[in-house]
Amino acid sequence: MSDPTINLAQVRRDLHAIPELALHEVQTKQYLKNTIAAFASDFLTIKEVPEVETALLVRLAGTNPEKTIGYRADIDALPIEEETGLPFASKHPGVMHACGHDVHMTVALGILAHFAKNQPKDNLIFIFQPAEESEAGGKRLYEAGALTGDFKPDELYALHDQPALPAGQIATKMGTLFAGTTEIHLQVVGQGGHAAYPHQAKDALVAASAFVSQVQTVVSRNVDPIHGGVVTIGSFHAGTIGNVIAGEAKLAGTIRAFTQTDLEMMQKRVRAIADGIAVAFDVQMNLELIQGGYYPVENDPKTTAAFMAFMEEDPEVDFVEAQPAMTGEDFGFLLNKFPGTMFWLGVGDPKHSLHDARLNPDERALNAGVQAMVAYFKQRMAQ
């Protein structure tokens, strides 16, 4: 059973109703602070981070600590208009917890509630991190020095909800779980002109179209087929009317790969293609590639082996081994700094994917996630 000091479903619904975008999670942070205040004990410490104002860190001092175990939950939402029709749907127009961060926060609070009442042997820290969807909140926290001293984890864990898995099922794998990502932002600057006199113009639309076509070869002709990768251009804007040659085009997209080495190689190939297009079409290619803190999520061998062994052996846990996914997550940056493990928690809504305006997680997953992690942390501390 879940801890009686916290109603997991109600907490999740409260948080779902107040989604906020990256670095603007003011109301969310206040709700978290108020909830955690109810767990108050003489071994609980709350830390704020002036450089990352909406972040919140909590430390539970252990009775006989030999290590510090960290757990991270992301708290931001997406710029999506909710279409679930739920009575606790978003109160903020155009913003929704369509990636399930309300679930992430609720599970973290459930784990925290348990150990706030039952003092852990080892130190526990909880990282309520803003700006996962954009702005690389994990990297910001690390670079602000927030995860040092008493708040430095020896090992770190986090979950991501997965609607395609049954509610409460847990899944992860050794090695890379999620891809690293890089944002593509491209402005093509040519010279506009009359459609009847193309020789007097420099067609930005045609140049941009050539770029879109050529970057499709980056994966097919540069990435080892066993590794996998993605280059997608999802936004293309050029021109205003059919009889005017466009003098400017703007594109946006993403590069994704399972290893940092492949990701960096793909970045170089995309940049080389842009440089070639600039020469071939006599246009200016203003290309910006932004990786920020979105490294591949590479699970640590030691912590992941322990995590998988426990979840496979616990009769109360429904565990399966996961396949790698091209999903991006800024937890990859933190796993580049601290050993740890990320895992999927099934939320049983197979009709709707992550980032869908109709996503409606099955709340039975909440208690399953809390109980699995409480049991795992107890076993981890006993080792």
Side-chain angles (χ1 to χ4, degrees):
M1 296 177 63
S2 60
D3 194 290
T5 61
I6 180 171
N7 182 325
L8 296 175
Q10 188 59 55
V11 167
R12 182 255 160 173
R13 293 177 185 189
D14 290 346
L15 288 165
H16 186 84
I18 55 168
E20 295 166 296
L21 298 178
L23 302 178
H24 296 279
E25 308 94 336
V26 176
Q27 194 175 354
T28 301
K29 177 185 175 181
Q30 190 60 52
Y31 182 92
L32 293 169
K33 285 183 68 175
N34 293 344
T35 303
I36 294 165
F39 308 154
S41 62
D42 56 5
F43 56 88
L44 185 154
T45 304
I46 296 177
K47 176 181 178 179
E48 302 206 35
V49 185
E51 299 87 348
V52 189
E53 292 184 357
T54 50
L56 192 68
L57 277 62
V58 181
R59 181 177 185 268
L60 300 177
T63 56
N64 186 25
E66 298 180 8
K67 58 182 174 291
T68 297
I69 299 175
Y71 188 86
R72 173 271 209 172
D74 38 7
I75 71 173
D76 58 324
L78 286 159
I80 292 174
E81 187 69 40
E82 182 162 352
E83 298 177 6
T84 63
L86 293 167
F88 52 90
S90 172
K91 297 177 183 177
H92 299 162
V95 186
M96 178 191 175
H97 272 303
C99 201
H101 294 185
D102 50 338
V103 171
H104 300 186
M105 288 184 278
T106 303
V107 172
L109 288 171
I111 301 167
L112 175 52
H114 175 88
F115 285 107
K117 287 185 62 181
N118 305 277
Q119 188 172 9
K121 173 186 173 293
D122 287 322
N123 302 321
L124 271 177
I125 61 169
F126 292 84
I127 304 164
F128 293 94
Q129 178 214 300
E132 186 279 321
E133 296 292 352
S134 62
E135 305 295 340
K139 183 172 185 283
R140 286 172 180 265
L141 271 180
Y142 181 84
E143 293 182 343
L147 304 180
T148 58
D150 287 345
F151 285 83
K152 180 181 179 180
D154 294 306
E155 54 193 64
L156 188 58
Y157 299 86
L159 68 80
H160 201 298
D161 64 305
Q162 173 52 274
L165 296 178
Q169 188 172 77
I170 288 174
T172 194
K173 67 180 292 293
M174 300 293 289
T176 302
L177 182 64
F178 298 157
T181 69
T182 298
E183 294 179 18
I184 300 172
H185 297 278
L186 174 64
Q187 178 195 38
V188 183
V189 180
Q191 181 178 330
H194 196 290
Y197 306 106
H199 59 293
Q200 296 176 357
K202 297 176 182 179
D203 196 327
L205 190 155
V206 172
S209 298
F211 173 81
V212 173
S213 296
Q214 290 191 30
V215 294
Q216 305 311 308
T217 67
V218 170
V219 174
S220 66
R221 289 298 176 266
N222 296 275
V223 177
D224 185 330
I226 296 173
H227 293 187
V230 168
V231 178
T232 294
I233 305 299
S235 175
F236 187 139
H237 298 276
T240 56
I241 193 170
N243 62 353
V244 176
I245 292 172
E248 181 184 65
K250 291 184 178 180
L251 292 78
T254 183
I255 304 170
R256 298 182 179 228
F258 288 127
T259 70
Q260 188 65 19
T261 299
D262 279 345
L263 194 64
E264 291 173 2
M265 177 274 292
M266 293 165 69
Q267 292 169 3
K268 290 179 181 179
R269 292 301 306 140
V270 168
R271 191 169 294 283
I273 288 171
D275 291 343
I277 295 290
V279 174
F281 291 85
D282 192 19
V283 295
Q284 183 177 335
M285 302 285 281
N286 299 323
L287 176 65
E288 187 177 17
L289 300 178
I290 305 172
Q291 182 176 4
Y294 295 85
Y295 290 20
V297 175
E298 297 186 55
N299 283 335
D300 174 71
K302 184 177 179 181
T303 61
T304 307
F307 181 90
M308 293 177 69
F310 176 84
M311 296 300 169
E312 287 173 339
E313 294 169 7
D314 188 336
E316 300 299 317
V317 175
D318 178 11
F319 177 80
V320 295
E321 187 166 350
Q323 295 297 313
M326 280 294 172
T327 309
E329 239 284 357
D330 80 340
F331 192 62
F333 181 87
L334 295 179
L335 288 185
N336 186 259
K337 305 299 181 182
F338 308 105
T341 300
M342 178 163 247
F343 62 96
W344 289 114
L345 173 66
V347 292
D349 185 14
K351 292 183 179 179
H352 305 117
S353 66
L354 296 170
H355 296 202
D356 190 312
R358 298 160 295 171
L359 178 66
N360 184 19
D362 185 333
E363 291 174 339
R364 289 177 296 180
L366 300 171
N367 188 56
V370 170
Q371 294 309 305
M373 290 309 296
V374 166
Y376 173 69
F377 284 159
K378 287 181 177 177
Q379 190 251 23
R380 191 74 177 146
M381 292 175 193
Q383 292 178 339

